[in-house]
Amino acid sequence: MKDLILVLNCGSSSVKFAVLNPYTKKKYLYGIVERLFLSETYITWKHLGMQYKKIIGLNITHEYALNFILDQVLLEHKDVLKNLIGIGHRVVHGGVKIKKTILINDNVIRCIEDAVSFAPLHNPANLIGIKTVIKKYPRLSKKNVAVFDTSFYQNMPKSSFLYAIPYNFYKEYGIRRYGAHGTSHYYVARKVAVILNKNFNTLNIITCHLGNGASVSAIRNGICVDTSMGLTPLEGLVMGTRSGDIDPSIIFFMHKKLKISIDDIEVILTKKSGLLGLSGISSDFRYFEKNYFLKKEAKRSVDIFCHRLSKYIAAYTTLMNNRLDAVIFTGGIGENVSLIREITLNKLSLLDFKINIELNLAAVNGKSGLITEYDSRPVFVILTDEELAIAEETISIINK
Ligand code: ADP
């Protein structure tokens, strides 16, 4: 056991962690703290085949969860701890200045802080992860690497990343589309290149990362040319609690007519909308899958989710230079909910997508592969592994 990288992914309501060797791809330890700030925060982790679960407590913060991971879980596995050579942090937004994976120093921390307004739910959590680890492991303080969700989108053309608002908002304030989830989109797209035995830089692919956050990316000749998330991870698809695309006038209406404050509108659009807002019940897709044919609010929410998703896929075919090599579904929903894939692809039959019902039903619970007929445009379910992708980027920077 050597050359281990600790990967930290501090989300808005969870902290994922993994310790792995990026060369052998072996994961020694991985887990997640879920339900931060809620009634029962718990941690689950796996170490060499053994599964552990503990309740951490009530109303747990990111700092507390991180200290629990570092002090209790990692200290319990001293073999893992002493072989750490670096730490990779998922950071959602690099802002205007940071364009690629980078070794963390004070200046990088300042840039991530500057980008907080572009990812208000995520960058603060990412910063807590970085600062906690640097303090805890002085031996590794110069071996922390930030891997940005936004890096994959740096080569998008202006026609994709500019909003049709006065140009100076872009020039002076950096208001443009930055995208998110780039690490995942890039990872699954390269996996399909391996499956197809083709050079990634020759492939045209549409990737759908569907988790609590959800986004679609259009990749042409290995370069991302458009994506559904925007200045912040709020734009685009219907998500767990985020609205995705809306008419901006809704905000004026809420504010001027309904007298809702701007801060409260932000909370409504980021934490109370999406599947949760539409159903009034849940943001967890297991609920929607179970109740699609039983409860009208579940059907309504899923239908809107699939309507928006199929619209994006269809729109992105226009960027593919008349050749689409693959569509990919990934993320917790993309990897597990065959219903979503079936409804969405059936809407796209005009574009020659023909789902294979058995293959689609089989591609759940960790099974991946092709889910379409032999004469269809190929659609794959691919398991994302953001932790591995981050560890690989981290080691490449540490080795430089
Ligand atoms: P994130 O990383 O953005 O927090 P994930 O990729 O873990 O999100 O996806 C979370 C979503 O996936 C949730 O809506 C969850 O209900 C759904 N999900 C995960 N596993 C399953 C499953 N086996 N069946 C149905 N939905 C699932």
Side-chain angles (χ1 to χ4, degrees):
M1 185 189 300
K2 58 182 185 115
D3 294 339
L4 300 187
I5 300 290
L6 167 64
V7 175
L8 280 182
N9 178 353
C10 295
S12 51
S13 63
S14 69
V15 178
K16 291 181 184 160
F17 60 99
V19 177
L20 62 155
N21 180 318
Y23 301 117
T24 62
K25 305 187 195 309
K26 184 170 164 91
K27 273 190 190 151
Y28 288 90
L29 180 70
Y30 60 97
I32 181 167
V33 178
E34 288 175 271
R35 298 179 55 82
L36 292 177
F37 309 106
L38 295 176
S39 56
E40 194 179 74
T41 303
Y42 62 89
I43 178 168
T44 44
W45 76 94
K46 273 191 175 175
H47 177 239
L48 301 176
M50 295 287 286
Q51 179 126 18
Y52 305 83
K53 179 170 182 175
K54 275 188 188 165
I55 306 289
I56 306 188
L58 294 179
N59 229 337
I60 295 300
T61 62
H62 285 94
E63 284 99 329
Y64 193 96
L66 279 157
N67 281 308
F68 190 94
I69 294 167
L70 303 178
D71 290 340
Q72 314 248 353
V73 179
L74 260 70
L75 266 188
E76 246 177 61
H77 303 293
K78 291 208 174 59
D79 49 336
V80 162
L81 197 54
K82 72 172 192 284
N83 286 301
L84 280 186
I85 58 164
I87 299 147
H89 298 266
R90 177 201 180 194
V91 182
V92 166
H93 217 296
V96 179
K97 294 194 188 121
I98 306 184
K99 305 211 184 296
K100 54 185 190 208
T101 302
I102 193 166
L103 202 61
I104 296 175
N105 57 27
D106 289 346
N107 189 35
V108 171
I109 290 178
R110 267 194 300 277
C111 290
I112 299 171
E113 282 166 350
D114 287 347
V116 161
S117 53
F118 292 160
L121 294 183
H122 295 93
N123 272 27
N126 304 151
L127 283 161
I128 292 169
I130 291 169
K131 290 176 182 173
T132 307
V133 168
I134 288 179
K135 211 158 116 196
K136 189 74 76 183
Y137 298 143
R139 165 177 87 83
L140 296 168
S141 64
K142 302 256 177 330
K143 304 279 180 193
N144 282 262
V145 171
V147 181
F148 294 89
D149 274 33
T150 43
S151 302
F152 187 46
Y153 306 109
Q154 292 301 322
N155 295 317
M156 289 198 301
K158 274 195 172 158
S159 51
S160 295
F161 77 65
L162 280 183
Y163 292 107
I165 59 176
Y167 194 63
N168 70 309
F169 285 102
Y170 163 61
K171 285 309 270 181
E172 285 171 41
Y173 306 103
I175 294 183
R176 50 160 283 183
R177 177 174 285 114
Y178 288 94
H181 291 144
T183 314
S184 175
H185 287 277
Y186 184 43
Y187 177 82
V188 294
R190 279 180 304 153
K191 283 224 128 182
V192 157
V194 173
I195 293 171
L196 296 175
N197 198 18
K198 293 256 169 70
N199 180 340
F200 179 59
N201 295 331
T202 64
L203 290 179
N204 299 338
I205 302 175
I206 296 173
T207 46
C208 309
H209 175 105
L210 312 175
N212 282 317
S215 59
V216 188
S217 291
I219 300 166
R220 187 170 64 215
N221 296 326
I223 290 175
C224 184
V225 289
D226 206 351
T227 193
S228 59
M229 280 183 168
L231 174 72
T232 75
L234 181 55
E235 191 179 345
L237 299 177
V238 176
M239 302 180 226
T241 62
R242 286 174 243 162
S243 64
D245 298 336
I246 59 165
D247 180 342
S249 298
I250 293 171
I251 298 169
F252 315 143
F253 184 90
M254 285 179 170
H255 185 57
K256 290 185 184 160
K257 206 91 175 147
L258 307 179
K259 309 287 180 223
I260 303 174
S261 73
I262 292 296
D263 284 349
D264 286 348
I265 294 173
E266 188 172 359
V267 172
I268 291 170
L269 295 181
T270 55
K271 298 196 172 157
K272 298 186 177 172
S273 295
L275 295 166
L276 177 65
L278 282 167
S279 66
I281 293 177
S282 180
S283 62
D284 186 335
F285 227 92
R286 291 177 189 90
Y287 165 81
F288 296 96
E289 199 180 20
K290 206 162 116 206
N291 291 293
Y292 182 73
F293 295 105
L294 302 174
K295 301 220 164 105
K296 64 177 188 315
E297 62 274 5
K299 183 172 187 317
R300 172 176 70 216
S301 313
V302 169
D303 287 345
I304 296 168
F305 184 97
C306 294
H307 171 81
R308 182 99 44 98
L309 176 59
S310 59
K311 248 179 25 173
Y312 266 100
I313 295 172
Y316 286 171
T317 61
T318 65
L319 302 171
M320 296 288 122
N321 280 352
N322 289 322
R323 197 195 74 235
L324 177 59
D325 296 297
V327 170
I328 302 173
F329 284 89
T330 192
I333 298 168
E335 292 170 19
N336 290 296
V337 188
S338 50
L339 177 73
I340 286 296
R341 302 183 305 235
E342 183 178 343
I343 297 173
T344 305
L345 291 177
N346 282 343
K347 287 175 185 291
L348 295 165
S349 56
L350 181 68
L351 296 172
D352 295 332
F353 287 101
K354 294 176 202 159
I355 195 153
N356 178 304
I357 302 289
E358 282 92 46
L359 291 178
N360 185 40
L361 287 174
V364 292
N365 298 329
K367 295 200 188 68
S368 55
L370 187 74
I371 57 164
T372 38
E373 300 286 356
Y374 70 96
D375 60 343
S376 165
R377 289 181 194 282
V379 179
F380 293 89
V381 171
I382 301 289
L383 310 182
T384 193
D385 192 341
E386 286 170 287
E387 284 74 30
L388 175 60
I390 291 170
E392 287 174 344
E393 295 256 328
T394 301
I395 198 79
S396 72
I397 294 291
I398 286 178
N399 284 343
K400 264 185 195 163

